[in-house]
Amino acid sequence: MKQLLIIPDVNDILNSIELAKKYNVGFEYNDFFVPDILDDEDKLQSIIAEYKSYELPEYTTLHGAFFDVIPFSVDKKIREISNLRIEKSIEIAKNIGAKAVVFHINHNSFLNSKSYIEDFVETNTKYWSNVLQKNRDINIYLENMFETTPMVIEAISKNLCKYDNYGVCLDYAHAFLSKCSLKEWAKSLSPYIRHVHINDNDGISDLHLPLDDGIIPGQEFYECYDKYMNNATVLIETTDNKGKVKSLEILKRDGFID
């Protein structure tokens, strides 16, 4: 049975829980990547406490910090604050009971010289190896964002797949905006994909629309999922409540979920 997730709204938590029960889905928390929240310990703890005061879905994940998070930077100070954000995200994920935390690799595809890419892969392999070894009790998923091809995240994944708690989060909508076909993304990363983000867009911007509100072909996603990533968990990555319901009903209509 496929494990689907939605993004809960801490300010409308009862509706989120009702949706989770009705459709048998989990949560992916999106409250904790905002820098102002991460820097306000009282606010942070109040959000965690609010969630934990309810009966939450059994399976949850968490989206980690990503704004300007560059643990591979040549600037020591930037590396330090990036590592602080990543460590804090993992700490929060464990506190709230999440099974996995998602991070972007944040590779700039315009920097595409052979030497830069090789150094990027080596530096990220070293950094994330250390994170994975230190946090064996939680899964760490690296997500594509700006990348125009799967080449870099595939190279990093080949080095990190020896860790049981490592996986790729394939953001299907980000991939749709790239230079490569969706099938190429799914096929190249197939051995490593453990989590997927889906939503819709117009082929130009990352709009996080409900399914069928843009131009991403749904049938192609179903085929790629069945062939290349059929054990991956799936987040419907849209925040509007109506959009979540619409997307879930489309997945039901198309036979992707029961």
Side-chain angles (χ1 to χ4, degrees):
M1 184 176 177
K2 299 181 182 75
Q3 175 64 66
L4 267 71
L5 302 93
I6 58 172
I7 298 170
D9 182 352
V10 72
N11 297 310
D12 191 18
I13 186 63
L14 291 177
N15 273 332
S16 296
I17 290 172
E18 182 181 348
L19 267 184
K21 290 179 178 178
K22 179 178 179 180
Y23 291 95
N24 194 27
V25 298
F27 285 167
E28 180 157 301
Y29 302 106
N30 273 210
D31 310 86
F32 306 108
F33 54 64
V34 180
D36 286 348
I37 297 295
L38 292 171
D39 289 337
D40 186 338
E41 190 65 26
D42 290 340
K43 179 66 173 176
L44 176 63
Q45 293 303 324
S46 72
I47 294 173
I48 294 173
E50 178 69 11
Y51 274 125
K52 292 174 77 170
S53 68
Y54 293 93
E55 183 181 353
L56 300 170
E58 182 178 352
Y59 190 90
T60 63
T61 57
L62 182 143
H63 201 308
F66 64 89
F67 291 112
D68 305 312
V69 172
I70 310 174
F72 50 86
S73 175
V74 296
D75 188 318
K76 180 182 177 182
K77 295 297 184 183
I78 293 174
R79 291 200 307 272
E80 288 175 355
I81 192 64
S82 296
N83 185 61
L84 181 69
R85 294 302 196 210
I86 289 168
E87 288 185 341
K88 189 64 175 180
S89 294
I90 295 172
E91 175 190 318
I92 294 166
K94 291 179 181 180
N95 187 345
I96 206 166
K99 302 293 192 297
V101 57
V102 179
F103 295 104
H104 295 171
I105 66 167
N106 281 343
H107 172 246
N108 183 345
S109 292
F110 287 100
L111 302 175
N112 56 11
S113 69
K114 185 174 183 289
S115 60
Y116 178 84
I117 291 174
E118 288 176 348
D119 183 65
F120 184 93
V121 171
E122 180 181 351
T123 303
N124 274 273
T125 296
K126 183 177 180 180
Y127 177 79
W128 291 108
S129 290
N130 183 54
V131 172
L132 288 157
Q133 289 179 70
K134 285 172 59 179
N135 297 280
R136 297 273 189 179
D137 54 340
I138 194 165
N139 292 319
I140 306 293
Y141 298 154
L142 297 186
E143 175 188 343
N144 60 299
M145 185 172 180
F146 306 118
E147 297 75 35
T148 55
T149 79
M151 176 184 65
V152 170
I153 195 167
E154 181 183 11
I156 293 171
S157 297
K158 285 179 179 177
N159 296 334
L160 296 179
C161 65
K162 62 185 177 182
Y163 299 105
D164 292 340
N165 56 329
Y166 173 75
V168 164
C169 169
L170 174 62
D171 191 302
Y172 201 74
H174 291 170
F176 184 68
L177 299 174
S178 76
K179 295 179 179 179
C180 292
S181 70
L182 294 169
K183 181 179 178 180
E184 185 174 346
W185 276 93
K187 183 177 181 181
S188 296
L189 299 177
S190 178
Y192 320 111
I193 298 172
R194 296 178 62 183
H195 191 47
V196 184
H197 286 175
I198 59 171
N199 51 67
D200 215 335
N201 63 50
D202 59 0
I204 300 171
S205 301
D206 186 28
L207 301 174
H208 287 213
L209 299 174
L211 302 185
D212 274 10
D213 275 16
I215 64 171
I216 300 178
Q219 188 57 42
E220 186 175 2
F221 167 70
Y222 302 142
E223 292 170 0
C224 283
Y225 183 88
D226 288 342
K227 188 169 184 179
Y228 299 113
M229 44 191 175
N230 59 20
N231 289 319
T233 53
V234 179
L235 169 69
I236 299 169
E237 196 178 20
T238 185
T239 55
D240 176 73
N241 202 58
K242 290 182 179 178
K244 295 171 193 174
V245 173
K246 178 179 180 179
S247 298
L248 286 161
E249 287 297 326
I250 286 168
L251 294 176
K252 284 181 63 178
R253 178 199 71 191
D254 294 346
F256 186 72
I257 59 174
D258 296 331

